[in-house]
Amino acid sequence: NAGVMQNPRHLVRRRGQEARLRCSPMKGHSHVYWYRQLPEEGLKFMVYLQKENIIDESGMPKERFSAEFPKEGPSILRIQQVVRGDSAAYFCASSLRTTPPNEQYFGPGTRLTVT
Amino acid sequence: QKEVEQNSGPLSVPEGAIASLNCTYSDRGSQSFFWYRQYSGKSPELIMSIYSNGDKEDGRFTAQLNKASQYVSLLIRDSQPSDSATYLCAVTGDGTASKLTFGTGTRLQVTL
């Protein structure tokens, strides 16, 4: 019973390139969340998606960041024209439901380094 | 005022002792409360969830919730060196606010 899967685990991009991070939720889970952990900082919510819908993107930067969760395939977090400040660990989590306790399980993360 | 507050530590306890980790939150509408463990360079691992006032026990772990005081705690009995990690407190809001709001974490060190 596979957990949340993320790839790639490590991603190096030069400034100005695009980064694509992928997340496959746990089997049976239809709720996907993306979080970012900057060096020496706490985890911050970015976006919450269900299949084909963005439910809450209140934590997403207004520019360069986008997310999708298509009907088929993994959820994708896209960062266009990356800058050094985007270097962070990006974690995806999934949950089975949203009613309490709404337990979210995290994937191993993608560590993005912008050079 | 931070939404979820934790003492950053480090909290140092000897092996076999009880470790007590505390967390306060500001949103009275918060519904569910979680404790995650995060080893350095790894992803958060869910340890406990609680959403009713009182205690919830799971093995060596006990979560305590007091909504009136806006306070949640985690007790770890018979602490082991492998428990040394950062413990993150997280809460969800009311209604459809499913996102987790995290504290900055408490670093626990279990000494031999």
Side-chain angles (χ1 to χ4, degrees), chain B residues 10-31:
Chain B
L11 172 66
S12 185
V13 299
E15 184 178 5
I18 296 175
S20 178
L21 304 158
N22 305 314
C23 171
T24 58
Y25 59 94
S26 60
D27 183 359
R28 283 197 171 274
S30 298
Q31 286 199 330

Side-chain angles (χ1 to χ4, degrees), chain B residues 13-15 18 21-22 28 41 43 51 59-60 80 82 86 90 105-106:
Chain B
V13 299
E15 184 178 5
I18 296 175
L21 304 158
N22 305 314
R28 283 197 171 274
S43 63
Y51 64 97
R60 296 188 295 114
Q80 302 296 309
S82 59
T86 297
T106 298

Side-chain angles (χ1 to χ4, degrees), chain A residues 35 37 101-104 107 111, chain B residues 34 36 38 41 43 49 98 100:
Chain A
Y35 295 86
Q37 190 168 37
N102 182 25
E103 294 177 340
Q104 296 182 24
R111 277 141 185 92
Chain B
F34 306 86
Y36 286 85
Q38 187 175 29
S43 63
S49 65
S98 299
L100 290 172

Side-chain angles (χ1 to χ4, degrees), chain A residues 9-21 36-39 64-65 77-90 110-115:
Chain A
R9 298 287 299 274
H10 299 274
L11 182 61
V12 179
R13 286 287 178 265
R14 296 177 189 266
R15 279 180 297 169
Q17 291 185 320
E18 178 179 286
R20 283 196 179 208
L21 288 61
R36 177 167 67 173
Q37 190 168 37
L38 292 165
R64 302 187 297 108
F65 286 73
L77 179 68
R78 181 193 300 176
I79 311 172
Q80 295 178 301
Q81 298 177 321
V82 296
V83 301
R84 288 217 172 107
D86 296 333
S87 295
Y90 292 81
T110 294
R111 277 141 185 92
L112 173 65
T113 302
V114 179
T115 62

Side-chain angles (χ1 to χ4, degrees), chain A residues 53-65:
Chain A
N53 288 300
I54 296 175
I55 308 301
D56 180 358
E57 57 181 347
S58 59
M60 285 278 270
K62 298 294 183 212
E63 297 178 352
R64 302 187 297 108
F65 286 73

Side-chain angles (χ1 to χ4, degrees), chain B residues 13-102:
Chain B
V13 299
E15 184 178 5
I18 296 175
S20 178
L21 304 158
N22 305 314
C23 171
T24 58
Y25 59 94
S26 60
D27 183 359
R28 283 197 171 274
S30 298
Q31 286 199 330
S32 300
F33 307 84
F34 306 86
W35 285 98
Y36 286 85
R37 177 173 63 195
Q38 187 175 29
Y39 293 108
S40 180
K42 301 295 185 183
S43 63
E45 174 191 5
L46 181 64
I47 298 175
M48 294 281 289
S49 65
I50 185 168
Y51 64 97
S52 299
N53 275 325
D55 295 0
K56 179 181 178 183
E57 185 174 320
D58 184 0
R60 296 188 295 114
F61 300 97
T62 299
Q64 299 173 318
L65 175 61
N66 183 325
K67 288 188 177 181
S69 300
Q70 295 175 244
Y71 175 91
V72 59
S73 65
L74 179 70
L75 299 178
I76 306 174
R77 289 180 297 281
D78 188 23
S79 295
Q80 302 296 309
S82 59
D83 294 327
S84 298
T86 297
Y87 289 80
L88 303 171
C89 173
V91 306
T92 59
D94 57 4
T96 59
S98 299
K99 64 182 180 182
L100 290 172
T101 300
F102 283 87

